[in-house]
């Protein structure tokens, strides 16, 4: 029986990998993607996938593998500034992250290891801080220290940088009399991360002054509403508040 199962798996794998494909190139975000699709439909990704940076030295910033349109096996994403420093790395199975994923900052320091099988951090550099957090305990808000603050998989600093990038990309800014664009933002974004990891009670101090910017921020939070992890107090998950300063001053 065991030999029959092994034979069936071998035959299935042979059929999967023997499917005819064609190579495709397209521009995506900060690089040019090169991948394969099935000739049978011209859409379904199947085989090696990589994105190469637009600028020299033209390094691969994303590498991985697709099987019948789903991400599988080891995937690596690097920082787009150089394409040499890993941002995150881990395995997919049936298009879902599995096992332990490692996340790094742009200097190569390991900031998080998250186990997607257990849905918890193995290590998190944001833990054991002296900072106080606003926490809801038994329906009452208290300001206390946490063993681990609420955060997002990949790190809150990385999320904040991505948010700033989105603000710079999509927000309408004033053009002064000389024809130059001026940016002067000094506000705060607040929200709670529930015990279950959902974003709640979103508040932005500048929403009345700039409704269009507020919409950009809300849309970004909606698009990135996954992968949030609640704070921990005495090894118990708690609903806690995250505050992100939005401070941008530029003229160009």
């Amino acid at each position: 029986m065991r030999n029959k199962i092994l034979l069936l798996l071998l035959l299935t794998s042979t059929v999967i990998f023997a499917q005819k494909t064609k190579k495709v190139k397209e521009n995506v975000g900060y690089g040019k993607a090169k991948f394969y699709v099935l000739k049978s439909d011209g859409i379904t990704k199947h085989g090696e996938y990589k994105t190469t940076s637009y600028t020299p030295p033209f390094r691969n910033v994303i590498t991985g593998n697709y099987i019948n349109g789903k991400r599988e096996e080891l995937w690596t994403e690097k920082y787009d500034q150089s394409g040499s420093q890993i941002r995150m790395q881990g395995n997919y199975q049936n298009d879902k992250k599995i096992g332990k994923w490692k996340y790094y900052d742009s200097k190569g320091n390991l900031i998080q290891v998250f186990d997607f099988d257990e849905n918890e951090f193995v290590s998190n550099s944001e833990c054991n801080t002296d900072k106080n957090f606003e926490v809801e305990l038994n329906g009452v808000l208290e300001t206390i220290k946490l063993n681990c603050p609420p955060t997002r998989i990949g790190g809150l600093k990385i999320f904040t940088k991505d948010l700033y990038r989105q603000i710079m990309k999509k927000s309408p800014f004033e053009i002064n009399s000389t024809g130059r664009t001026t940016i002067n933002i000094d506000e705060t974004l607040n929200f709670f991360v529930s015990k279950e990891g959902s974003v709640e009670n979103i508040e932005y101090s500048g929403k009345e002054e700039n409704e269009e910017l507020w919409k950009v921020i809300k849309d970004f939070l909606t698009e990135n509403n996954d992968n949030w992890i609640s704070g921990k107090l005495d090894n118990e998950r708690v609903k806690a508040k995250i505050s992100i300063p939005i401070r941008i001053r530029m003229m160009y």
Side-chain angles (χ1 to χ4, degrees), residues 20-247:
K20 293 183 178 180
T21 60
K22 64 178 181 179
K23 195 171 186 178
V24 175
K25 297 180 182 179
E26 66 179 25
N27 295 328
V28 291
Y30 47 79
K32 183 177 287 293
K34 301 175 183 178
F35 53 92
Y36 296 86
V37 297
L38 295 177
K39 282 187 175 181
S40 58
D41 63 10
I43 299 174
T44 304
K45 294 184 178 71
H46 188 77
E48 182 186 14
Y49 179 98
K50 62 182 179 181
T51 299
T52 305
S53 60
Y54 287 127
T55 56
F58 306 110
R59 291 191 174 102
N60 293 330
V61 290
I62 299 177
T63 56
N65 190 61
Y66 277 92
I67 297 179
N68 286 327
K70 295 182 178 181
R71 287 168 290 187
E72 298 285 354
E73 303 169 345
L74 181 67
W75 278 71
T76 302
E77 181 176 335
K78 300 180 179 180
Y79 283 92
D80 57 319
Q81 294 95 325
S82 64
S84 60
Q85 179 56 54
I86 293 175
R87 176 173 176 170
M88 66 180 79
Q89 187 175 63
N91 285 282
Y92 277 95
Q93 185 178 75
N94 199 29
D95 216 35
K96 293 183 178 180
K97 290 179 178 177
I98 62 167
K100 296 174 182 177
W101 276 68
K102 295 182 178 180
Y103 298 85
Y104 302 83
D105 65 20
S106 57
K107 296 181 180 178
N109 300 308
L110 181 66
I111 55 175
Q112 292 179 347
V113 178
F114 190 82
D115 191 332
F116 282 87
D117 295 340
E118 301 296 330
N119 193 35
E120 64 180 15
F121 286 109
V122 176
S123 65
N124 180 7
S125 63
E126 296 176 14
C127 293
N128 302 315
T129 176
D130 289 330
K131 183 179 176 182
N132 288 320
F133 292 86
E134 195 170 336
V135 179
E136 183 179 289
L137 297 174
N138 300 317
V140 178
L141 292 179
E142 297 185 27
T143 302
I144 57 176
K145 288 183 173 62
L146 293 174
N147 303 118
C148 282
T151 188
R152 192 165 190 264
I153 300 172
L156 193 58
K157 287 183 179 179
I158 301 300
F159 171 81
T160 303
K161 285 183 179 180
D162 290 341
L163 172 59
Y164 271 45
R165 188 180 293 114
Q166 190 74 349
I167 289 173
M168 296 294 294
K169 180 181 178 181
K170 290 195 172 183
S171 292
F173 296 112
E174 296 179 2
I175 299 177
N176 62 24
S177 57
T178 63
R180 303 181 71 180
T181 300
T182 58
I183 304 173
N184 188 4
I185 304 172
D186 190 358
E187 305 292 349
T188 304
L189 172 65
N190 298 306
F191 55 89
F192 280 83
V193 177
S194 71
K195 294 180 182 180
E196 296 74 27
S198 61
V199 174
E200 302 175 352
N201 311 113
I202 304 170
E203 296 179 354
Y204 174 62
S205 60
K207 63 181 179 182
E208 293 182 0
E209 289 77 13
N210 193 330
E211 292 183 0
E212 291 180 272
L213 174 57
W214 170 225
K215 184 179 184 306
V216 170
I217 293 172
K218 281 195 300 183
D219 289 346
F220 184 80
L221 281 171
T222 300
E223 293 167 5
N224 294 273
N225 196 34
D226 59 345
N227 292 331
W228 290 97
I229 303 298
S230 64
K232 274 195 172 184
L233 177 63
D234 298 330
N235 210 34
E236 294 291 330
R237 296 194 175 192
V238 293
K239 180 178 178 178
K241 185 178 183 179
I242 288 178
S243 293
I244 300 175
I246 309 294
R247 298 191 182 103

